[in-house]
Amino acid sequence: ALRDRLKGLMVDHGVKRVAVAATWAEAQTATADLVLVTLPMERGFEAPNGLAVVTEADLLGDRLIRTVKKKRAANFISEVATLSVSDLVVHVDHGIGRYDGLATLEINGAPHDCLRLIYAGNDKLFVPVENIDVLSRFGEDVGQALDKLGGPGWQARKAKVRQRIREIADRLIQIAALREVRQGEVATPPEGVWDEFCARFPYPETDDQLRAIDDVLSDLAGGKPMDRLVCGDVGFGKTEVALRAAFVAAMAGLQVAVVVPTTLLARQHANTFEQRFKGLPLRLGQLSRLVTGKAAAEVKQGLSDGTLDIVVGTHAVLAKSVSFKRLGLVIVDEEQHFGVAQKERLKELRADVHVLTLTATPIPRTLQMALSGVRDMSIIATPPVDRLAVRTFVLPYDPVVIREAILREHFRGGQVYFVCPRIEDLDALAERLKKLVPEVTMAMAHGRMAATQLEDVMTAFTDGKYDILLSTNIVESGLDIPTANTMVIHRADMFGLAQLYQLRGRVGRSKTRGYAFLTLPADRVLNEQAQKRLDVMQTLDQLGAGFQLASHDMDIRGAGNLLGDEQSGHIKEVGVELYQHMLEEAVQAARAGTLGGPVAMDDQWSPTIALGMPVLIPDHYVSDLTVRLGLYRRAADLADRADVDGFAAELIDRFGPLPAEVDNLLRILQIKRLCRQAGVEKVDAGAKGAVVTFRANSFANPAGLVQFLQRQSGSAKLRPDQKLVFVRPWETSAERVDGVHRLLDQLADLAVAA
């Protein structure tokens, strides 16, 4: 790809005869003026025969090394919240408005991109693109009234929510503090055999997967009880994280309990664990409906007397009759499937033990506790190599389409899941399918079948003896059958959003493209929520969409009170993102012991900078409006000079040389960062100088400011309204932006020195 880009670069600069060679020998015999070839070289040289070899680094300079910063998990809602026209947004100072698209305004005689917001009474507010960080996404539009610009209602609501959040944060920190003072068992990977165990994993680990494993190992070795949430999309490798955690804990002499929601998932996990732990001095057991009474009694005895090291099971593991001799690690897979009773039992177990929770679609409360920093969270967002997104179709039930889908999968050597929401409908569907596709074989599975019968059916389907598995959503969790790559969901409107997403995750788990058909009754009008769920499923068709789904889920259902079953409803007062930001801030304040004082929102303000120069990403540079808005959003979050440089390098790589307007935007972002450091709320600059307005009409270092004014020889003065006037003749926009940058740099240094 780089070779092709270099070729285009040479052609753009007038080099006419450019050839591409596959090998060094081929390059030496080429007759073009310039030959491009891929070689493992860092620097070029000149040979005696007049041959000049020039490398990429010689032409373009050293590669810009951008360190991959660990993204704050709390920012993921912002990252996935792409705005569409008519979406509700929240301005931190003005409240809830409706986004009405991008508008280009003339500001001081220069074009400037702004976001247009509509408020109550059709009032309009224009937000400059470099200040997009004062906006946040509200969530689902459920008849929400818009705020009145300049009205008192918004500030009153925000103050009320902030007070409630402070109370929540205080209790959250008390809960977290109790864990901090407890001692947890220390477990570290055993030398030698650890590397051998890791090598048994047949796939290359992704960077996110390795990071999650490192996080878990650090927790196990830290001496405090672990409470970590590992979020990763279906099929992204969460089970491997669990396997390695279980290995480390079990080899350290601790018992491990793996708790899963369904018997089928327990069966699959038990098989996976047995294969990976084969030959190791560890004993494994299984507890579920599929296990005979005698075998279950032996497992319980082994856990009680300590002869069993690892147990994999359903909520049967949480029964009162099950006791552990030295329980050290509890792994909870697909936590969203467990009810209140099971979670209360888990709380009893987890007082001093390590807890690892795995989920693809965290429930809102779990998600928020992780985002607010009360629970630790690791994110696996990188798909495995060669994984393809599942193609999703939402359509009225059509026998012709269903027959074609089943036969296409059959003729490419694959298998089909046909999922039905109710057991009583299975027999009728089976008859319909026999008539529709008599060419294929079919098996049936549901939760009321005898344990041995269900076991036999699943084993036969896994072994490829049947083409179609007609089942309820019993197959929702954890099944990994690489040959099953088409799914038909009957009456998809009767399933929840997370259920649909998990079901779809059963297909496309190998390198083969998966297909999901979500069918609806042709003669029925769906209710609003069902329609919304299906719309979301069709839009979330890219890999790693589980977080976006969780965000939509939080929108539709609300996050509720994190500490109990009462719903706070406050998230609907201020919107998803702002609520999350305020909660995170309150938790930080509580950790610092400042809960008694006011919780500041200082990092929410955004300085206004008007330099009389065009500031925008032109549509001829980035034509797609959605991409442009996403770039503005990312640009507003850039933290320092290195981030801005890295962002500029990415723009050049993706879209070509920076136009002057984009260069101005990046310069203003750097000035904006200095404004925040200096406490400057507004900068107005023109051909004759600049006027600087300090926030709250005060400066952090008044004595330093006085000395600074004395050094300016009359070219700077402080007006009675506390605005700083800086007189300078700036004839060109380049001189103006350089001058303002230098001025703010000096003011920021003064403020930091206070």
Side-chain angles (χ1 to χ4, degrees):
L2 178 61
R3 189 175 62 185
D4 294 338
R5 286 204 298 271
L6 279 175
K7 182 179 179 181
L9 196 63
M10 296 303 167
V11 172
D12 289 344
H13 283 75
V15 182
K16 302 298 182 186
R17 300 173 63 220
V18 181
V20 175
T23 63
W24 172 244
E26 188 180 323
Q28 288 179 299
T29 58
T31 57
D33 297 333
L34 182 70
V35 184
L36 298 173
V37 61
T38 303
L39 296 172
M41 293 175 56
E42 290 187 7
R43 296 294 175 189
F45 59 89
E46 190 171 345
N49 61 358
L51 175 68
V53 177
V54 183
T55 67
E56 171 203 355
D58 296 328
L59 281 174
L60 305 178
D62 292 332
R63 281 185 180 272
L64 179 63
I65 303 300
R66 276 174 279 171
T67 56
V68 180
K69 292 186 177 180
K70 193 172 182 180
K71 291 182 179 177
R72 286 193 315 158
N75 276 348
F76 94 85
I77 296 180
S78 302
E79 291 163 7
V80 303
T82 52
L83 286 178
S84 303
V85 172
S86 81
D87 279 357
L88 290 182
V89 294
V90 181
H91 190 293
V92 69
D93 294 322
H94 302 291
I96 300 167
R98 193 173 296 281
Y99 170 60
D100 195 41
L102 276 179
T104 304
L105 304 182
E106 291 286 326
I107 300 177
N108 292 348
H112 204 120
D113 263 1
C114 298
L115 285 81
R116 183 171 55 238
L117 308 183
I118 306 295
Y119 281 83
N122 208 34
D123 292 343
K124 293 181 177 64
L125 178 70
F126 294 91
V127 179
V129 287
E130 67 271 19
N131 299 117
I132 197 173
D133 50 336
V134 298
L135 300 180
S136 56
R137 182 166 163 266
F138 176 76
E140 292 294 320
D141 185 357
V142 283
Q144 180 67 37
L146 303 182
D147 281 308
K148 178 71 178 172
L149 272 181
W154 165 246
Q155 295 298 340
R157 289 207 318 277
K158 197 167 70 168
K160 178 183 173 185
V161 172
R162 187 176 300 159
Q163 177 59 38
R164 180 68 185 117
I165 283 176
R166 287 170 60 191
E167 295 169 10
I168 292 172
D170 191 17
R171 292 168 65 194
L172 285 175
I173 294 307
Q174 289 174 12
I175 292 169
L178 288 174
R179 291 190 64 83
E180 288 294 320
V181 297
R182 292 196 181 104
Q183 290 298 312
E185 297 282 356
V186 176
T188 55
E191 294 290 334
V193 70
W194 166 250
D195 293 329
E196 181 191 332
F197 181 79
C198 295
R200 294 183 180 185
F201 185 50
Y203 309 103
E205 298 94 341
T206 63
D207 291 343
D208 287 350
Q209 202 176 15
L210 288 172
R211 196 175 298 119
I213 291 167
D214 288 342
D215 290 343
V216 170
L217 294 183
S218 298
D219 289 347
L220 290 173
K224 303 290 183 190
M226 172 174 69
D227 187 10
R228 181 166 294 277
L229 175 70
V230 175
C231 286
D233 218 353
V234 285
F236 275 31
K238 300 186 297 296
T239 304
E240 181 61 22
V241 180
L243 280 162
R244 298 194 188 184
F247 173 77
V248 171
M251 292 298 284
L254 305 174
Q255 287 179 309
V256 179
V258 183
V259 188
V260 301
T262 67
T263 54
L264 293 184
L265 183 53
R267 168 184 174 274
Q268 175 152 318
H269 271 349
N271 291 339
T272 303
F273 271 69
E274 283 173 11
Q275 290 171 11
R276 285 296 299 277
F277 284 86
K278 191 176 292 183
L280 293 171
L282 298 173
R283 286 190 61 211
L284 285 76
Q286 184 184 168
L287 268 183
S288 76
R289 192 170 65 88
L290 298 178
V291 178
T292 63
K294 181 182 177 183
E298 290 175 359
V299 168
K300 291 177 183 179
Q301 180 62 35
L303 293 174
S304 177
D305 61 25
T307 56
L308 199 65
D309 301 292
I310 301 172
V311 62
V312 180
T314 58
H315 53 80
V317 174
L318 306 176
K320 296 287 186 182
S321 59
V322 178
S323 62
F324 295 84
K325 184 175 183 180
R326 54 177 193 282
L327 180 63
L329 171 64
V330 175
I331 298 172
V332 184
D333 199 3
E334 303 298 350
E335 176 227 28
Q336 70 273 16
H337 289 288
F338 290 96
V340 174
Q342 285 89 27
K343 287 180 180 176
E344 288 303 315
R345 174 66 176 145
L346 276 172
K347 284 180 185 175
E348 294 174 19
L349 286 177
R350 66 178 12 170
D352 297 300
V353 302
H354 298 291
V355 180
L356 179 63
T357 306
L358 313 175
T359 182
T361 52
I363 59 174
R365 185 173 301 171
T366 298
L367 179 63
Q368 261 205 299
M369 290 192 76
L371 293 180
S372 57
V374 177
R375 295 183 70 177
D376 296 317
M377 178 163 72
S378 298
I379 296 174
I380 304 179
T382 311
V385 177
D386 295 333
R387 177 67 54 86
L388 299 172
V390 177
R391 290 276 182 265
T392 305
F393 306 93
V394 179
L395 69 164
Y397 182 85
D398 184 340
V400 176
V401 174
I402 300 305
R403 173 177 165 81
E404 182 186 345
I406 292 173
L407 290 181
R408 185 181 60 216
E409 185 62 52
H410 176 62
F411 289 134
R412 69 171 180 172
Q415 295 168 285
V416 178
Y417 290 110
F418 203 109
V419 181
C420 170
R422 295 182 300 212
I423 292 177
E424 52 265 32
D425 295 337
L426 287 174
D427 290 334
L429 267 177
E431 290 301 317
R432 192 188 301 179
L433 284 174
K434 285 174 185 175
K435 294 175 183 175
L436 187 63
V437 277
E439 303 94 325
V440 299
T441 55
M442 181 172 57
M444 190 185 298
H446 57 78
R448 291 183 193 164
M449 295 172 67
T452 52
Q453 187 183 2
L454 182 61
E455 175 95 21
D456 292 344
V457 167
M458 293 310 302
T459 302
F461 185 69
T462 304
D463 293 342
K465 294 178 181 176
Y466 294 105
D467 300 309
I468 299 178
L469 179 66
L470 176 61
S471 73
T472 57
N473 65 327
I474 193 172
V475 299
E476 177 184 338
S477 294
L479 288 188
D480 188 1
I481 301 176
T483 53
N485 286 303
T486 292
M487 173 173 283
V488 180
I489 301 178
H490 183 68
R491 287 299 304 274
D493 55 304
M494 296 180 69
F495 290 97
L497 187 56
Q499 281 183 312
L500 289 172
Y501 192 75
Q502 290 280 6
L503 283 167
R504 188 177 69 178
R506 297 310 106 215
V507 296
R509 297 176 69 90
S510 61
K511 297 180 181 181
T512 308
R513 171 79 71 186
Y515 295 90
F517 297 85
L518 279 58
T519 67
L520 310 169
D523 57 349
R524 189 171 302 189
V525 178
L526 300 185
N527 66 48
E528 185 182 352
Q529 280 212 337
Q531 187 63 55
K532 199 178 291 182
R533 288 196 298 269
L534 295 170
D535 290 344
V536 167
M537 281 300 297
Q538 201 154 18
T539 55
L540 299 185
D541 61 350
Q542 71 272 35
L543 290 167
F547 288 141
Q548 284 169 276
L549 179 133
S551 178
H552 283 291
D553 207 18
M554 195 186 286
D555 286 350
I556 294 169
R557 295 165 56 192
N561 188 313
L562 304 185
L563 299 163
D565 51 8
E566 76 270 16
Q567 296 294 311
S568 72
H570 291 308
I571 197 163
K572 288 300 180 189
E573 295 284 342
V574 295
V576 176
E577 281 190 65
L578 185 56
Y579 182 89
Q580 181 55 50
H581 176 84
M582 293 166 75
L583 177 64
E584 184 186 5
E585 225 172 29
V587 168
Q588 289 172 353
R591 283 189 188 280
T594 60
L595 199 67
V599 180
M601 295 286 288
D602 277 353
D603 62 340
Q604 279 294 96
W605 66 279
S606 190
T608 303
I609 303 163
L611 304 186
M613 51 200 292
V615 178
L616 67 157
I617 300 175
D619 54 7
H620 65 77
Y621 186 60
V622 180
S623 56
D624 189 289
L625 181 62
T626 305
V627 174
R628 210 155 70 236
L629 193 62
L631 291 173
Y632 282 138
R633 183 75 187 240
R634 286 181 54 202
D637 287 336
L638 299 176
D640 52 36
R641 177 65 182 269
D643 285 345
V644 173
D645 289 344
F647 185 65
E650 180 187 336
L651 289 179
I652 293 168
D653 189 44
R654 289 174 65 185
F655 307 108
L658 297 178
E661 302 95 325
V662 180
D663 196 48
N664 292 341
L665 172 63
L666 296 179
R667 294 294 301 275
I668 281 182
L669 290 172
Q670 295 178 28
I671 293 172
K672 176 183 164 186
R673 177 176 55 84
L674 295 171
C675 284
R676 291 172 72 97
Q677 291 177 4
V680 170
E681 192 168 56
K682 188 176 182 181
V683 179
D684 282 297
K688 296 181 180 180
V691 178
V692 174
T693 305
F694 292 109
R695 191 159 188 258
N697 290 327
S698 63
F699 186 65
N701 185 2
L705 183 60
V706 170
Q707 294 175 3
F708 170 75
L709 293 174
Q710 290 172 347
R711 294 196 299 268
Q712 300 307 310
S713 305
S715 63
K717 63 179 180 180
L718 195 63
R719 293 196 324 209
D721 60 2
Q722 300 299 305
K723 292 183 179 179
L724 177 65
V725 178
F726 191 76
V727 181
R728 276 287 191 276
W730 291 321
E731 296 180 3
T732 66
S733 59
E735 290 178 359
R736 195 178 315 146
V737 72
D738 286 341
V740 171
H741 193 283
R742 282 196 299 272
L743 170 63
L744 266 301
D745 205 6
Q746 292 171 305
L747 292 176
D749 286 344
L750 285 174
V752 171

